[in-house]
Structure formats: C-alpha cells, structure tokens
C-alpha cells in the first residue's frame, strides 16, 4: 500500500486511451517505419534458457529462448516529462508493426502462453521499442556421424525476416557476440556444450532477393562414457569370451560350438541395438568399424574350431588306416589294445584288459569308437594286485591342437593392435 501511495496511478490522471497516447489510430502500422526510405535497422539479442533435447534419429534439436528485438518507430513516440518507458503485454502487439522474424529450417515452434502470452512490449518516449517473447523451437541440425560416438556436432539456429529484404530491414546482432547469453545451468545427458557464438551473413533467394540472416551456433561434444559401458565394453568382453574356446579340449564339441554360437549371437544383438537408435546413414560410423571388427574376431574363432575339428578328423582317419594296415602293436611292451567310446570306467577297463579289439567290438562299429592304447607295465600290474585303487596310465590323443596354440597368441595380439590403432585415430 505504501508503494501505491508513493507512485500515483497514471491511469487515473490520463483521461484518454493508450492507443490515443501512442497515436495508434493515426498511422498505418501495416507498413514498416520510414516506409520508402532506407532500411530500418533491427537489433537482436537472445538469451538461451534451455537446450532441451538433441535427436540423432530426427537430426534436430529443441531450444527454449528469449528473443528480443530493438528498433525505432517514431510513430510510437509520445510526450513524457520523466522520460520513462511504458510496458505493455501482447495485446498491443497486434495493433502495431513488429519485425516478421522467423526461424529458418525450423520444424515446429511456439510462443509460450501460460498463464498469458509470454510477450512483452516496451516503448520509450523517443519511439525506441523493445519487443521480447519466450519461444520454444525445434530446428533441423545436419549431423555427421562418421566419428560417432567420438564425434562433435555443430548446430545452428537461424533467424531471418520473412518478407523484408536487406533493402527494407537490416537484421544485426545488437552487441556482437555479447548479444547471446546462456544459462550456466544448461546441461545435456549425452553432450557437453563446448561453445555458443553468433554469426551473420546474407542469404539469397532467386525469386525474392537478399536477406539478412543471423546464426546462433553451438558446438556439442558427446560423452563417451555411456557408450563405453553400453557398447564397447560388452563387445570387448564377447571377443575375449570367444578366446576361451582355444583352451577347451578340441574333442569337447558341444562346449566349443555352443560358446562360439553364443558369442556370435550376442555380438549381433549389440550391433542391432546400436543401429536401432541411429539414423540410417549411407556411410560407415566409427562404432560400426569397432563392432564389425569385433564380430569378425568372434566369427573367426568359430571357424578356427571348424578347422581344428576337420584337421583332427583327417589325422584320425589316417591313423585308423595305418592301424588297419599294420595291426601289429609291436614296440609297446606288455600292452593290449581295446576299443573304448569314452563311457567306460576304470574298473570296466581293467576287466576288459584281457580282450583283443576284434573280440570286443563288431566290425561295423569300429568307425564310431575311439582307439585308445591301454599301456600297462609289469610294475603297474603288480601295483593293481596290491591296491585296487591304483591309477591306470592312458595314452590318449593330445588334447591341444597346434592351431589352438597359435590362436592363443595371434587372436589377442591382433585385437590389441586393432584397439591401439582405433583409439589413436578416433579419440
């Protein structure tokens, strides 16, 4: 109440209307100020309130900002002894001339209207005007994903007059680079905002002419930690898991095959998940190189076991043919030959030690059995007589193939070398 008593209500002392004070009805505000004369300068400054979202799929960004215009319209000048300005809301804007600035390459935009239209008009006695509004705009941003996710993106919000060329209206940044202000609290989940800056240039349209265009440029750098946890680290683990098969006995077919198929399918799932959240670009991204090279390593580990299994089978066939051609077991003292399929216990082997191979297995089942030489020396026979729990020495085919031995070194070494080159190039 004290404030109201100190500052008297001007609406009580002024008997006319605001339109009469500003002489709105005396002029035609459908035309720009100084119509027919030189271009009217319109200064612009922007305060960015928030950078709401960045969409890689749609290649756009959403920004909320305060857009302010400054110009002089002598038709709005009014007498004042205190030289104070008058402030109005959006209701007066519809009755006077305002710059027809629009956002180039915008997909959608709107002026906030809660609780009323977020528009402010401030008129000074000499005719200078400040026109401010709060806008949320979604604009296009051409992104280059060739280095994704180790990339930096530069996006621009472009302002331009829709109807007036540079001969009628001259848009300019009111205070140069100081015309752009940003809130210090602006942050994004996947990006680090590196820099905001302003530029301006002329834009030409073949049918209408030259226009002044203002640019709000900002540079974003993507946070890599999220993709390290969700993409790179799981892919690396899958490649390392595929190497485990090199240490598994090559005769354990179910173990090695299931491990290889599992890693291949997991890598396919990772690749599909990454591409599902990205636009379908026609060029190769950095993450595609890493994932597909990792997929090749996993796939080669499966082919490596196929080669080991094939060569082992060929070797066993040759040994079987040699045994059929030379059935004599000379040179193995006190040894007896038998056919086992891997399901016999030691007691079964002891009980069958006195039988020959032909007595135990029919001729048609020879190809399905594994030839094992049960070598029993005189000392081992006497030890079994003394203790029923004695160990039996088995001469089995070597459980590690030469290809597995080389793969244990070649695969990890090559993958480490690839990682060194990849991170040195893209980081």
């Amino acid at each position: 109440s004290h404030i109201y008593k100190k500052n008297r209500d001007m609406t009580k002392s002024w008997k006319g209307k605001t339109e009469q004070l500003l002489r709105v009805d005396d002029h035609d505000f459908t035309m720009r100020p100084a119509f027919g004369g030189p271009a009217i300068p319109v200064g612009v400054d922007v305060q960015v309130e928030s950078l709401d979202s960045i969409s890689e799929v749609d290649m756009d960004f959403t920004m909320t900002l305060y857009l302010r215009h400054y110009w002089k319209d002598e038709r709005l000048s009014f007498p004042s002894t205190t030289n104070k300005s008058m402030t109005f809301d959006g209701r007066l804007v519809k009755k006077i001339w305002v710059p027809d600035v629009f956002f180039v390459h915008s997909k959608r935009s709107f002026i906030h209207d809660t609780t009323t239209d977020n528009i402010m008009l401030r008129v000074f006695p000499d005719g200078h005007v400040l026109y401010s509004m709060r806008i949320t705009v979604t604009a296009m941003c051409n992104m280059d994903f060739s280095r994704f996710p180790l990339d930096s993106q530069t996006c621009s919000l472009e302002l331009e007059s829709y109807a007036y060329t540079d001969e009628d209206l001259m848009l300019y940044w009111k205070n140069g680079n100081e015309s752009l202000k940003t809130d210090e609290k602006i942050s994004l989940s996947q990006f680090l905002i590196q820099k905001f800056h302003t530029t301006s240039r002329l834009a030409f349209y073949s049918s209408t002419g030259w226009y002044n265009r203002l640019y709000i440029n900002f540079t974003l750098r993507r946070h890599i930690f999220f993709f390290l946890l969700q993409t790179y680290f799981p892919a690396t683990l899958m490649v390392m898991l595929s190497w485990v098969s090199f240490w598994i006995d090559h005769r354990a077919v179910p173990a090695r095959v299931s491990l290889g198929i599992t890693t291949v399918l997991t890598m396919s799932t990772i690749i599909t998940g990454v591409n599902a959240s990205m636009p379908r670009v026609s060029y190769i991204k950095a993450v595609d190189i890493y994932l597909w090279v990792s997929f090749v390593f996993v796939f080669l580990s499966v082919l490596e076991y196929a080669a080991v299994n094939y060569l082992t089978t060929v070797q066993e066939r040759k040994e079987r043919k040699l045994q059929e051609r030379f059935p004599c077991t000379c040179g193995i003292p006190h040894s007896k030959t038998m056919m086992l399929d891997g399901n016999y216990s030691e007691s079964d082997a002891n009980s069958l030690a006195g039988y020959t191979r032909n007595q135990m297995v029919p001729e048609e089942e020879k190809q399905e059995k594994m030839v094992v030489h049960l070598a029993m020396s005189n000392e081992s026979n006497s030890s079994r007589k003394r203790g029923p729990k004695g160990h039996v020495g088995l001469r089995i085919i070597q459980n590690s193939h030469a290809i597995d031995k080389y793969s244990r070194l070649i695969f990890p070494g090559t993958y480490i070398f690839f990682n060194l080159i990849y991170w040195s190039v893209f980081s």
Side-chain angles (χ1 to χ4, degrees), residues 44-77:
V44 176
D45 70 34
V46 172
Q47 180 174 346
V48 179
E49 181 182 7
S50 64
L51 193 57
D52 301 324
S53 64
I54 307 290
S55 175
E56 291 89 354
V57 177
D58 299 327
M59 285 195 182
D60 59 23
F61 65 92
T62 302
M63 178 186 293
T64 301
L65 51 87
Y66 296 93
L67 178 61
R68 304 184 183 97
H69 307 82
Y70 303 84
W71 74 93
K72 185 177 181 180
D73 190 346
E74 294 182 354
R75 295 173 295 184
L76 297 177
S77 61

Side-chain angles (χ1 to χ4, degrees), residues 62-63 101-104 106-112 134-139 157:
T62 302
M63 178 186 293
V101 175
F102 78 105
F103 297 101
V104 184
S106 66
K107 296 182 177 180
R108 51 192 173 273
S109 61
F110 63 92
I111 299 175
H112 291 260
R134 182 167 174 255
I135 303 175
T136 294
V137 56
T138 300
L157 184 62

Side-chain angles (χ1 to χ4, degrees), residues 4 12 40-41 65 75 86 110 136 145 158 176 193-194 250 254 273 304 314 323 326-327 354 373 378 389 395 402:
Y4 288 126
K12 294 181 179 180
I40 174 176
L65 51 87
R75 295 173 295 184
M86 292 190 299
F110 63 92
T136 294
F145 297 106
E158 306 172 13
I193 303 176
Q194 290 185 322
H250 64 272
E304 185 270 349
V314 171
Q323 290 177 359
F326 306 102
H373 295 284
N378 294 330
K389 295 183 179 181
R395 296 201 327 154

Side-chain angles (χ1 to χ4, degrees), residues 196-207:
F196 272 96
H197 66 281
T198 61
T199 55
S200 62
R201 69 184 184 190
L202 290 175
F204 177 73
Y205 297 90
S206 59
S207 58

Side-chain angles (χ1 to χ4, degrees), residues 182-236:
T182 58
D183 193 339
E184 296 179 355
K185 297 180 180 179
I186 295 179
S187 62
L188 294 170
S189 59
Q190 291 191 23
F191 291 92
L192 173 66
I193 303 176
Q194 290 185 322
K195 183 176 62 174
F196 272 96
H197 66 281
T198 61
T199 55
S200 62
R201 69 184 184 190
L202 290 175
F204 177 73
Y205 297 90
S206 59
S207 58
T208 54
W210 294 88
Y211 293 80
N212 293 110
R213 183 176 295 181
L214 306 181
Y215 296 83
I216 302 174
N217 305 308
F218 55 95
T219 304
L220 306 172
R221 183 170 182 82
R222 197 182 304 273
H223 293 298
I224 187 59
F225 188 72
F226 170 81
F227 295 94
L228 287 176
L229 291 179
Q230 300 295 325
T231 304
Y232 287 94
F233 189 62
T236 303

